[in-house]
Amino acid sequence: MQETQKTLLKILLIFWLGYSGSVTASDEDMNLRLRACAGCHEQSNTANFDKNYAPSINGKPVEYLYQQLLNFQEGRRLNTVMNQMLAYLSPEYLHEIASYYAQQDPSSSAPEIKQQSDDQAARGRFLVQQGETGQPACATCHGGDLRGNDIAIPGLRGLSASYITAQLGAWQTSTRHARTPDCMAEVAKSLSGADIDAVAHWIATASDALLTAEAPLDPLPIECGAVQ
Amino acid sequence: MIATANTAKPLSLWRGLAALAATLFLTTVLSACGQATPPNNNSPLHIATKNKIERGQYLAKAGNCATCHTRVGQAEFSGGRSIPTPFGEVISSNITSDTTTGLGNWSDDDFWQALHHGKSRNGRSLYPAFPYPSYSLITRDDSDALFAYLQTIPAVEHTPPAHQLRFPYSSQLALNIWRALYFEPQLYIADESQSDTWNRGAYLVKGLGHCSACHTPRGILGNSDSARSLAGADIEALGWHAPAIATGELSTGQQEELVKLLKAGINKRDVMSGPMAEVVAHSLQHLKNSDLSAMVEYLSTLPAKSHPSTTVVLKTQKQDQEPFPLGATLYEEHCSDCHGKNGLGEPYRFPALAGNRAVMAASANNAIRSVMLGGYGASTADRPRPFGMPAFAHLFSDQEAAAVINYIRNAWGNQAPAVRTNDVRQR
């Protein structure tokens, strides 16, 4: 090996080591930078975490989180706090924030206490696991275990019934958007109010034993702009 | 150490190497292209045009044109953003080079008529939400450069929706009466008794920068109150307060810190938030340090004017009594980790609250909005990864928010009028 090549490799190695050596420090640094997010989203922060108000975002797919941050920044999702929070951050930084939360352990929060009649629970389970004709079951994209996939489909476990209801409602009334074709808007608009209630409560309250191991379909049953 | 690196790291290394290789390759290709450039691209005319467009691009940053003329998520300069005013909503126009819906068919004379005279190509008066009372001051040369740059913006066919103004504000007659009362086209006149730098600063602040659009109080008809120029004003439609920027004399050190704040969005003690973070993100961070210094030099020669209501003082408290015990407790629990027990914050991370003019402003709007809604500063070239302020709207009652705001406005030597629960509720 030539002397110049060796020198070049040495320099690269030094940079590489320097970079990996700083991982722990940069995680701590990121933690400090993201205190503003932790105020609402961090569940260990029990004083501040409001389960009905802010969803758990730990362990959600990085590209899903990144798309949501862009959606808030560009007005496809409306929430006074989130819209103001992110307004002037660069896409690079938003992606870094998304990666940070994607790497955190997802919550293993206990299901909510059951608040459903048997009929409503049966309807919820049917819509989540079987689906109506022309209306794909939640599990076909989010998986039988409702944990989503690693690329762009979010897990639904750990979300409260009121949060899920609010999101489905926001899609119905077009106050929440995703990139077109907006598959979730289509699905949400095909659900009745009672069905939204049934699905949201079932997802939030079903025990793990009721979930299945079915993998998300590939390709997805309908076209989704966010999953390209 | 390699052993402790997680699996993503080798990828990062390869990505880095690939980027390095790509850069080397591109550099080589580009320099090869440079040698093969046809000679007429180096002609004096071509260079003059290129320089003019580049200057126009810089001036467009200084004038922050893109912010109002772009709707978030849409093509830059294609218009359609709603500018809320006390008289209704003004919708920005498409200023891309599109010939039917943009400025593609305009001449530089048409553009000058808009900028200097506040009249559209068809002769109709423009609403002063387009800040032509400020833009009127800029030179014809700068106007032409701006226009040359805007003509290079790719055409986007988009007709923004109509303005949503209440009658009589929506009528040309009312607008023309307003213009007769409050607007006269005028160029910037240099003050010969001042330095070139001072004049450059004044030209940018009063002209393209249109700082007075937010920082100067307005009369009942939306006219600038020139007697209180840059003395700070509430931006009613946005719910924010634009603090006084007629700063009075500043030391060299203070001037340097202020330049940093304009450039990076943050300095040792302060951070830009709300609409000003947007101005930093889209405009100020792109300006040359020499221009920012000139602006600061000019501002520091304007005598500080206080807002009339700052003279309201709190009822005298007994010396040994904590005036806002609930606020103090909440501050200790939720705020002191970042802003410090002494309110001094952390340089370049969390702003100092002690001695902070925005905290103590007569209008508590900014304090209320920051506490309730939180927010990140702007990502800038100097500070790409800002720290943020959490939102407390879901945690504090209006009464608790008022208590903590009153505490920070009156602790550590701070002094400001008390905020009522109702002030928080209304925001």
Side-chain angles (χ1 to χ4, degrees):
Chain A
M1 196 184 270
Q2 283 183 5
E3 208 53 36
T4 46
Q5 283 177 323
K6 275 187 185 169
T7 315
L8 188 64
L9 280 178
K10 270 184 207 161
I11 292 171
L12 283 171
L13 188 63
I14 289 166
F15 272 107
W16 185 20
L17 292 178
Y19 183 52
S20 23
S22 67
V23 164
T24 319
S26 90
D27 251 19
E28 263 170 41
D29 174 73
M30 205 50 190
N31 205 330
L32 207 56
R33 286 177 199 274
L34 299 185
R35 276 192 182 180
C37 314
C40 293
H41 289 285
E42 196 171 283
Q43 294 191 38
S44 60
N45 188 351
T46 46
N48 286 7
F49 182 68
D50 178 345
K51 205 168 177 229
N52 290 326
Y53 191 89
S56 158
I57 50 177
N58 287 351
K60 288 232 157 68
V62 55
E63 293 310 319
Y64 168 76
L65 289 176
Y66 177 58
Q67 287 303 324
Q68 299 319 302
L69 294 174
L70 288 180
N71 288 345
F72 280 119
Q73 194 174 55
E74 296 177 356
R76 285 184 294 270
R77 280 188 80 168
L78 299 178
N79 174 282
T80 314
V81 168
M82 287 301 290
N83 295 140
Q84 169 165 324
M85 193 67 73
L86 307 168
Y88 314 117
L89 297 182
S90 68
E92 295 77 21
Y93 192 33
L94 292 180
H95 200 273
E96 192 184 347
I97 294 172
S99 311
Y100 175 86
Y101 279 106
Q103 285 163 21
Q104 306 304 308
D105 280 337
S107 68
S108 51
S109 63
E112 283 181 37
I113 294 161
K114 196 168 171 243
Q115 287 175 330
Q116 268 189 310
S117 69
D118 289 349
D119 282 355
Q120 197 194 24
R123 178 68 182 158
R125 186 178 182 180
F126 177 78
L127 290 168
V128 169
Q129 297 184 337
Q130 312 294 320
E132 293 280 12
T133 320
Q135 190 184 67
C138 308
T140 53
C141 297
H142 293 276
D145 58 1
L146 301 176
R147 295 203 176 275
N149 71 14
D150 293 341
I151 309 153
I153 301 176
L156 304 176
R157 295 291 273 173
L159 299 176
S160 70
S162 52
Y163 178 78
I164 299 171
T165 307
Q167 298 314 305
L168 289 170
W171 256 302
Q172 275 200 335
T173 55
S174 298
T175 50
R176 178 170 175 176
H177 304 268
R179 291 190 186 284
T180 48
D182 192 345
C183 52
M184 265 318 294
E186 281 176 46
V187 174
K189 283 174 181 169
S190 72
L191 291 168
S192 69
D195 280 351
I196 285 181
D197 212 31
V199 164
H201 277 90
W202 194 83
I203 292 172
T205 60
S207 66
D208 283 345
L210 292 175
L211 302 177
T212 71
E214 180 194 344
L217 290 184
D218 186 20
L220 298 173
I222 48 175
E223 228 183 315
C224 291
V227 188
Q228 297 292 356
Chain B
M1 264 193 199
I2 295 175
T4 63
N6 69 34
T7 48
K9 294 308 158 207
L11 262 181
S12 302
L13 177 70
W14 288 120
R15 219 173 275 158
L17 279 173
L20 188 68
T23 312
L24 285 172
F25 173 70
L26 272 179
T27 316
T28 319
V29 171
L30 285 177
S31 55
C33 289
Q35 284 152 13
T37 305
N40 65 346
N41 274 7
N42 289 326
S43 71
L45 183 66
H46 179 84
I47 290 169
T49 311
K50 190 167 156 276
N51 288 346
K52 186 175 177 182
I53 290 169
E54 272 172 15
R55 200 158 59 81
Q57 182 172 20
Y58 181 79
L59 294 168
K61 290 289 184 201
N64 203 2
C65 311
T67 296
C68 286
H69 285 281
T70 308
R71 190 171 169 191
V72 279
Q74 304 301 316
E76 205 173 34
F77 296 113
S78 65
R81 176 165 174 174
S82 160
I83 318 292
T85 78
F87 316 108
E89 287 179 26
V90 177
I91 313 294
S92 66
S93 57
N94 178 347
I95 55 170
T96 68
S97 60
D98 188 58
T99 48
T100 50
T101 62
L103 305 184
N105 273 341
W106 284 40
S107 67
D108 48 11
D109 282 340
D110 295 333
F111 190 71
W112 174 248
Q113 177 167 278
L115 228 58
H116 185 69
H117 297 277
K119 292 219 173 232
S120 187
R121 185 169 177 244
N122 59 14
R124 283 172 72 84
S125 297
L126 295 165
Y127 289 103
F130 167 56
Y132 59 82
S134 300
Y135 290 168
S136 184
L137 298 174
I138 83 169
T139 63
R140 175 68 198 239
D141 201 33
D142 279 354
S143 169
D144 288 353
L146 262 172
F147 182 68
Y149 165 64
L150 290 174
Q151 292 293 293
T152 67
I153 305 299
V156 176
E157 194 181 340
H158 172 234
T159 306
H163 305 309
Q164 303 281 323
L165 291 163
R166 293 191 304 278
F167 188 81
Y169 309 110
S170 54
S171 81
Q172 279 280 306
L173 177 64
L175 181 54
N176 286 329
I177 296 172
W178 185 92
R179 286 167 55 99
L181 286 171
Y182 299 115
F183 174 66
E184 198 178 346
Q186 53 179 329
L187 287 166
Y188 176 75
I189 300 161
D191 182 341
E192 300 297 342
S193 71
Q194 299 283 358
S195 67
D196 287 351
T197 313
W198 185 96
N199 275 300
R200 173 71 179 166
Y203 176 73
L204 287 169
V205 166
K206 295 163 90 168
L208 271 175
H210 65 286
C211 308
S212 68
C214 291
H215 290 278
T216 297
R218 288 175 186 271
I220 194 163
L221 290 172
N223 52 301
S224 279
D225 177 354
S226 52
R228 289 191 286 145
S229 178
L230 304 178
D234 278 342
I235 317 171
E236 279 304 329
L238 299 180
W240 285 87
H241 176 76
I245 55 169
T247 59
E249 201 178 330
L250 298 176
S251 69
T252 314
Q254 284 172 318
Q255 291 196 23
E256 282 167 4
E257 277 298 302
L258 194 47
V259 169
K260 269 189 211 159
L261 184 63
L262 298 177
K263 181 91 184 169
I266 188 167
N267 66 11
K268 264 188 216 155
R269 293 183 52 90
D270 295 307
V271 63
M272 295 293 204
S273 46
M276 199 59 201
E278 183 173 47
V279 175
V280 168
H282 297 161
S283 171
L284 293 172
Q285 68 154 321
H286 302 288
L287 299 197
K288 291 181 281 197
N289 272 331
S290 58
D291 277 343
L292 295 174
S293 303
M295 290 164 79
V296 167
E297 181 178 327
Y298 165 69
L299 290 173
S300 68
T301 61
L302 303 178
K305 304 179 190 96
S306 68
H307 199 278
S309 61
T310 46
T311 49
V312 179
V313 287
L314 286 166
K315 284 181 200 160
T316 323
Q317 300 283 342
K318 284 181 192 161
Q319 287 294 317
D320 56 347
Q321 194 182 330
E322 169 60 68
F324 299 103
L326 174 62
T329 312
L330 291 168
Y331 181 87
E332 172 68 30
E333 188 181 344
H334 298 289
C335 319
S336 63
D337 262 11
C338 295
H339 293 289
K341 287 187 185 0
N342 49 14
L344 291 179
E346 266 189 68
Y348 296 105
R349 289 185 169 177
F350 308 114
L353 303 177
N356 185 320
R357 290 189 320 129
V359 166
M360 289 187 282
S363 156
N365 285 0
N366 294 4
I368 296 171
R369 289 194 82 88
S370 297
V371 168
M372 296 308 257
L373 302 180
Y376 275 87
S379 290
T380 58
D382 286 2
R383 296 274 151 181
R385 302 154 73 232
F387 292 73
M389 163 84 182
F392 288 93
H394 66 292
L395 192 66
F396 288 165
S397 67
D398 293 345
Q399 189 206 352
E400 287 171 329
V404 80
I405 290 164
N406 279 328
Y407 175 74
I408 61 168
R409 274 161 73 84
N410 293 283
W412 323 293
N414 283 359
Q415 204 177 18
V419 171
R420 293 158 307 166
T421 305
N422 210 27
D423 297 331
V424 177
R425 192 168 298 143
Q426 281 168 358
R427 282 285 148 232

